[in-house]
Amino acid sequence: MKRIGMLTSGGDCQALNAAMRGVVKCLINSGEQYEFYGFLNGYKGLIYSNFRMLTGADFSGILTRGGTILGSSRVPFKTIREPDEDGIDKVEAMKQTYYKLQLDCLVVLGGNGSQKTANLLSEEGLNIVSLPKTIDNDLWGTDMTFGFQSAVDVATTSIDYIHTTADSHGRVFIVEVMGHKVGWLTLNAGIAGGADIILIPEIPYDIKKVIDAIEVREKRGCRFTILAVAEGAISKEDAKLSKKEYKEKLQNYTFPSVSYELADQIQKKTGREVRVTVPGHMQRGGAPDPYDRVFASRLGAEAGQLIIKGHFGYMVAYKNREIVKTPLKEIAGKLKTVSPDASIIKEAKMLGISFGD
Ligand code: F6P
């Protein structure tokens, strides 16, 4: 009998359940006997030994269900070595839970910070297999994360819907897209939704160029302009500030987000009516799309294979259209950003999309 622990950590996304189901189905179908321990609310469940024993039945009917049946939470990596409010050593506590339950492997489904903690636990001697989860698609070592395509669908639908009302009223619209510090989601949803201007953190914008792009469209007789703006988009001026100066600026910042600052600037400089739409956490919600169901199931099955073979300390990843295993130590702490020189940026520019640069 082998004992497998499982947890989902960080911001949730679509297809977490599909991925866990993939792992469990693969193991059950291998013919060996397994016991499954689901830790509740991410690493917190492992720290405080808060878990539920799961059977195959728990994973039945969850392929299409969004969210996570285990719950999730954020335990920031930068605080992982700090004792909690009761003085508990979090890393020691996680190891104790693992050893107490005599686990053979811990499966971690997580994004950037969660992979760092997974790597730390692996370095501490635990058997870890991880899966790449995040709508941001910013994990190093994999071309794609599950959740991303479903989030692209939601963000694209938001931009699609905005078209008709923007046209009716002849307005400038800003659709703010998630993605934390990277622009993958905005870039893909922006192109898919036919946005006229796309602003992402990796390409700081010049507000004059943004205004120019709006005015060029107006002169061509276009009634509306749609901007897809990443929540982390940054102006050229702000990008030049030191970390300290930027922090100071944010302390006196009166706008809810960069989109509202842009809306204010565009309205003042063009006299046009500008509206902001923020789909927000809807981008992480709902059922996974078919792509993510297939992708997460495949990743889950391959993670199951790693467990069967006893290959630990890896994240299952997608590279050059193949599912591979990537050592956790190689990916932990690295961010996959959009290169301003990427062909997708060049092609988007050929299509007439402005990046405000
Ligand atoms: O990392 C996923 C993500 O949805 C980011 O795109 C976003 O910046 C962040 O999480 C939001 O976090 P929270 O759910 O804690 O508000």
Side-chain angles (χ1 to χ4, degrees):
M1 171 74 73
K2 289 206 170 133
R3 298 184 172 86
I4 309 299
M6 208 175 274
L7 62 84
T8 53
S9 167
D12 74 341
C13 71
Q14 303 90 338
L16 276 163
N17 292 325
M20 288 193 278
R21 173 182 172 273
V23 177
V24 170
K25 274 197 178 284
C26 171
L27 294 178
I28 288 177
N29 286 321
S30 74
E32 273 199 65
Q33 294 296 308
Y34 285 94
E35 258 177 16
F36 298 103
Y37 296 77
F39 294 101
L40 306 183
N41 305 323
Y43 284 112
K44 280 189 184 162
L46 189 62
I47 296 169
Y48 302 109
S49 200
N50 191 8
F51 63 89
R52 199 154 68 80
M53 292 216 48
L54 303 163
T55 66
D58 289 296
F59 296 93
S60 180
I62 63 167
L63 173 64
T64 59
R65 197 194 301 175
T68 159
I69 59 166
L70 297 180
S72 193
S73 69
R74 293 188 193 277
V75 180
F77 180 74
K78 61 178 180 210
T79 67
I80 207 80
R81 287 285 186 192
E82 292 166 15
D84 76 354
E85 52 273 23
D86 297 318
I88 290 172
D89 180 329
K90 294 179 209 131
V91 177
E92 262 326 292
M94 289 194 276
K95 286 163 67 179
Q96 285 311 314
T97 305
Y98 180 97
Y99 291 124
K100 186 184 72 189
L101 296 175
Q102 297 181 315
L103 296 182
D104 292 287
C105 176
L106 175 70
V107 179
V108 174
L109 295 89
N112 253 304
S114 311
Q115 299 293 345
K116 284 197 255 179
T117 303
N119 181 49
L120 184 150
L121 292 176
S122 172
E123 285 173 351
E124 289 284 324
L126 308 193
N127 293 336
I128 306 288
V129 168
S130 76
L131 290 102
K133 162 244 71 161
T134 169
I135 64 164
D136 302 340
N137 195 31
D138 61 351
L139 269 177
W140 187 262
T142 185
D143 296 340
M144 185 74 77
T145 57
F146 64 83
F148 174 67
Q149 287 296 341
S150 303
V152 169
D153 290 354
V154 179
T156 302
T157 303
S158 307
I159 301 172
D160 287 349
Y161 283 179
I162 288 304
H163 268 85
T164 51
T165 179
D167 189 18
S168 306
H169 290 266
R171 284 172 170 161
V172 174
F173 257 91
I174 295 175
V175 180
E176 183 175 292
V177 180
M178 273 189 170
H180 202 217
K181 293 180 181 160
V182 303
W184 295 108
L185 193 49
T186 310
L187 177 62
N188 283 271
I191 296 173
D196 310 296
I197 300 170
I198 296 178
L199 305 182
I200 59 173
E202 294 90 337
I203 306 179
Y205 64 85
D206 176 345
I207 187 66
K208 288 194 208 89
K209 297 275 173 63
V210 174
I211 305 281
D212 283 352
I214 295 170
E215 286 176 343
V216 165
R217 276 181 60 77
E218 201 171 340
K219 279 188 197 123
R220 283 213 314 258
C222 305
R223 282 178 52 77
F224 65 90
T225 295
I226 295 179
L227 292 85
V229 174
E231 61 180 351
I234 187 163
S235 67
K236 279 191 193 294
E237 287 151 28
D238 286 352
K240 280 188 203 135
L241 299 177
S242 67
K243 258 191 177 174
K244 190 169 166 259
E245 288 167 330
Y246 189 56
K247 254 190 178 174
E248 276 165 17
K249 179 191 162 164
L250 291 185
Q251 270 162 10
N252 306 314
Y253 199 63
T254 49
F255 298 102
S257 69
V258 63
S259 299
Y260 291 88
E261 183 183 5
L262 274 162
D264 185 62
Q265 289 171 319
I266 296 168
Q267 198 146 350
K268 280 184 183 140
K269 291 198 171 124
T270 65
R272 298 279 303 269
E273 268 191 321
V274 188
R275 294 288 186 270
V276 177
T277 292
V278 184
H281 288 77
M282 274 175 60
Q283 292 161 96
R284 270 177 22 197
D289 71 3
Y291 179 94
D292 269 336
R293 293 178 203 182
V294 175
F295 184 46
S297 300
R298 290 181 64 197
L299 290 172
E302 295 290 350
Q305 280 302 307
L306 292 186
I307 297 170
I308 291 166
K309 290 180 187 152
H311 293 175
F312 302 119
Y314 292 101
M315 178 180 85
V316 280
Y318 190 62
K319 291 293 276 180
N320 304 320
R321 295 172 183 256
E322 274 184 39
I323 298 189
V324 295
K325 61 182 201 292
T326 307
L328 273 168
K329 60 175 181 302
E330 281 179 20
I331 56 135
K334 293 189 201 152
L335 206 62
K336 184 184 69 194
T337 56
V338 178
S339 163
D341 299 323
S343 59
I344 188 170
I345 300 287
K346 290 181 189 144
E347 288 137 13
K349 286 184 177 175
M350 290 173 205
L351 296 172
I353 296 171
S354 164
F355 285 83
D357 58 339

mmCIF file of all heavy atoms in Angstrom, residues 11-12 74 134-136 178-180 185 231 281 284, ligand 1:
data_model
loop_
_atom_site.group_PDB
_atom_site.id
_atom_site.type_symbol
_atom_site.label_atom_id
_atom_site.label_comp_id
_atom_site.label_asym_id
_atom_site.label_seq_id
_atom_site.Cartn_x
_atom_site.Cartn_y
_atom_site.Cartn_z
ATOM 1 N N GLY A 11 -3.505 30.925 -5.723
ATOM 2 C CA GLY A 11 -4.769 31.287 -6.372
ATOM 3 C C GLY A 11 -5.308 30.090 -7.150
ATOM 4 O O GLY A 11 -4.550 29.414 -7.829
ATOM 5 N N ASP A 12 -6.604 29.844 -7.045
ATOM 6 C CA ASP A 12 -7.144 28.669 -7.746
ATOM 7 C C ASP A 12 -7.197 28.939 -9.251
ATOM 8 O O ASP A 12 -6.855 30.037 -9.711
ATOM 9 C CB ASP A 12 -8.533 28.297 -7.199
ATOM 10 C CG ASP A 12 -9.616 29.263 -7.662
ATOM 11 O OD1 ASP A 12 -9.277 30.395 -8.080
ATOM 12 O OD2 ASP A 12 -10.798 28.910 -7.611
ATOM 13 N N ARG A 74 -3.007 31.019 0.211
ATOM 14 C CA ARG A 74 -1.644 31.473 -0.085
ATOM 15 C C ARG A 74 -0.823 31.447 1.203
ATOM 16 O O ARG A 74 -1.186 32.090 2.185
ATOM 17 C CB ARG A 74 -1.655 32.903 -0.628
ATOM 18 C CG ARG A 74 -2.307 33.026 -2.006
ATOM 19 C CD ARG A 74 -2.093 34.432 -2.545
ATOM 20 N NE ARG A 74 -2.941 34.704 -3.699
ATOM 21 C CZ ARG A 74 -2.642 34.347 -4.946
ATOM 22 N NH1 ARG A 74 -1.523 33.699 -5.196
ATOM 23 N NH2 ARG A 74 -3.454 34.649 -5.933
ATOM 24 N N THR A 134 -1.687 27.718 -13.053
ATOM 25 C CA THR A 134 -1.918 29.164 -12.916
ATOM 26 C C THR A 134 -2.529 29.740 -14.198
ATOM 27 O O THR A 134 -2.150 29.334 -15.304
ATOM 28 C CB THR A 134 -0.646 29.976 -12.583
ATOM 29 O OG1 THR A 134 -0.939 31.374 -12.717
ATOM 30 C CG2 THR A 134 0.530 29.672 -13.506
ATOM 31 N N ILE A 135 -3.439 30.664 -14.007
ATOM 32 C CA ILE A 135 -3.999 31.354 -15.184
ATOM 33 C C ILE A 135 -2.954 32.296 -15.795
ATOM 34 O O ILE A 135 -3.125 32.756 -16.914
ATOM 35 C CB ILE A 135 -5.281 32.160 -14.842
ATOM 36 C CG1 ILE A 135 -4.991 33.295 -13.859
ATOM 37 C CG2 ILE A 135 -6.379 31.252 -14.350
ATOM 38 C CD1 ILE A 135 -6.104 34.341 -13.788
ATOM 39 N N ASP A 136 -1.888 32.594 -15.039
ATOM 40 C CA ASP A 136 -0.913 33.592 -15.506
ATOM 41 C C ASP A 136 0.060 33.033 -16.556
ATOM 42 O O ASP A 136 0.702 33.806 -17.263
ATOM 43 C CB ASP A 136 -0.099 34.143 -14.327
ATOM 44 C CG ASP A 136 -0.974 34.773 -13.260
ATOM 45 O OD1 ASP A 136 -2.127 35.122 -13.569
ATOM 46 O OD2 ASP A 136 -0.506 34.907 -12.106
ATOM 47 N N MET A 178 -6.232 39.956 -15.820
ATOM 48 C CA MET A 178 -5.315 39.488 -14.766
ATOM 49 C C MET A 178 -3.985 39.018 -15.356
ATOM 50 O O MET A 178 -3.790 39.060 -16.574
ATOM 51 C CB MET A 178 -5.971 38.352 -13.992
ATOM 52 C CG MET A 178 -6.839 38.805 -12.834
ATOM 53 S SD MET A 178 -7.332 37.369 -11.870
ATOM 54 C CE MET A 178 -8.053 38.188 -10.452
ATOM 55 N N GLY A 179 -3.126 38.525 -14.492
ATOM 56 C CA GLY A 179 -1.839 38.023 -14.987
ATOM 57 C C GLY A 179 -0.681 38.348 -14.077
ATOM 58 O O GLY A 179 0.461 38.041 -14.396
ATOM 59 N N HIS A 180 -0.994 39.016 -12.959
ATOM 60 C CA HIS A 180 0.023 39.395 -11.974
ATOM 61 C C HIS A 180 1.098 40.225 -12.653
ATOM 62 O O HIS A 180 0.775 41.272 -13.190
ATOM 63 C CB HIS A 180 0.573 38.130 -11.291
ATOM 64 C CG HIS A 180 1.190 38.422 -9.965
ATOM 65 N ND1 HIS A 180 2.306 37.774 -9.500
ATOM 66 C CD2 HIS A 180 0.852 39.315 -9.018
ATOM 67 C CE1 HIS A 180 2.640 38.248 -8.316
ATOM 68 N NE2 HIS A 180 1.770 39.188 -7.998
ATOM 69 N N LEU A 185 -1.711 36.432 -20.505
ATOM 70 C CA LEU A 185 -3.176 36.368 -20.572
ATOM 71 C C LEU A 185 -3.726 37.545 -21.384
ATOM 72 O O LEU A 185 -4.578 37.371 -22.264
ATOM 73 C CB LEU A 185 -3.709 36.379 -19.126
ATOM 74 C CG LEU A 185 -5.155 36.031 -18.861
ATOM 75 C CD1 LEU A 185 -5.557 34.752 -19.548
ATOM 76 C CD2 LEU A 185 -5.372 35.896 -17.335
ATOM 77 N N GLU A 231 -3.229 43.889 -15.666
ATOM 78 C CA GLU A 231 -3.279 44.532 -14.346
ATOM 79 C C GLU A 231 -1.902 45.043 -13.912
ATOM 80 O O GLU A 231 -1.803 45.959 -13.109
ATOM 81 C CB GLU A 231 -3.842 43.568 -13.297
ATOM 82 C CG GLU A 231 -3.014 42.300 -13.111
ATOM 83 C CD GLU A 231 -3.570 41.349 -12.064
ATOM 84 O OE1 GLU A 231 -4.515 41.717 -11.341
ATOM 85 O OE2 GLU A 231 -3.049 40.221 -11.973
ATOM 86 N N HIS A 281 -11.870 38.120 -10.968
ATOM 87 C CA HIS A 281 -11.755 36.695 -10.630
ATOM 88 C C HIS A 281 -12.647 35.795 -11.475
ATOM 89 O O HIS A 281 -12.523 34.569 -11.383
ATOM 90 C CB HIS A 281 -12.023 36.489 -9.138
ATOM 91 C CG HIS A 281 -10.890 36.995 -8.295
ATOM 92 N ND1 HIS A 281 -10.706 38.332 -8.050
ATOM 93 C CD2 HIS A 281 -9.870 36.350 -7.684
ATOM 94 C CE1 HIS A 281 -9.619 38.488 -7.308
ATOM 95 N NE2 HIS A 281 -9.096 37.311 -7.077
ATOM 96 N N ARG A 284 -10.766 33.293 -13.333
ATOM 97 C CA ARG A 284 -10.294 32.059 -12.683
ATOM 98 C C ARG A 284 -11.435 31.104 -12.380
ATOM 99 O O ARG A 284 -11.216 30.019 -11.840
ATOM 100 C CB ARG A 284 -9.617 32.422 -11.357
ATOM 101 C CG ARG A 284 -8.177 32.665 -11.516
ATOM 102 C CD ARG A 284 -7.424 33.103 -10.313
ATOM 103 N NE ARG A 284 -7.931 32.846 -9.014
ATOM 104 C CZ ARG A 284 -7.497 33.480 -7.930
ATOM 105 N NH1 ARG A 284 -6.558 34.399 -8.029
ATOM 106 N NH2 ARG A 284 -7.969 33.208 -6.744
HETATM 107 O O1 F6P B 1 -1.886 34.253 -9.842
HETATM 108 C C1 F6P B 1 -3.207 34.210 -10.254
HETATM 109 C C2 F6P B 1 -3.894 35.507 -10.011
HETATM 110 O O2 F6P B 1 -5.234 35.396 -10.433
HETATM 111 C C3 F6P B 1 -3.233 36.729 -10.676
HETATM 112 O O3 F6P B 1 -3.535 36.826 -12.036
HETATM 113 C C4 F6P B 1 -3.779 37.833 -9.825
HETATM 114 O O4 F6P B 1 -2.900 38.940 -9.815
HETATM 115 C C5 F6P B 1 -3.861 37.228 -8.460
HETATM 116 O O5 F6P B 1 -3.902 35.828 -8.646
HETATM 117 C C6 F6P B 1 -5.053 37.639 -7.643
HETATM 118 O O6 F6P B 1 -4.902 37.101 -6.388
HETATM 119 P P1 F6P B 1 -6.044 36.994 -5.279
HETATM 120 O O7 F6P B 1 -6.970 35.886 -5.688
HETATM 121 O O8 F6P B 1 -5.311 36.667 -4.036
HETATM 122 O O9 F6P B 1 -6.749 38.305 -5.260
#
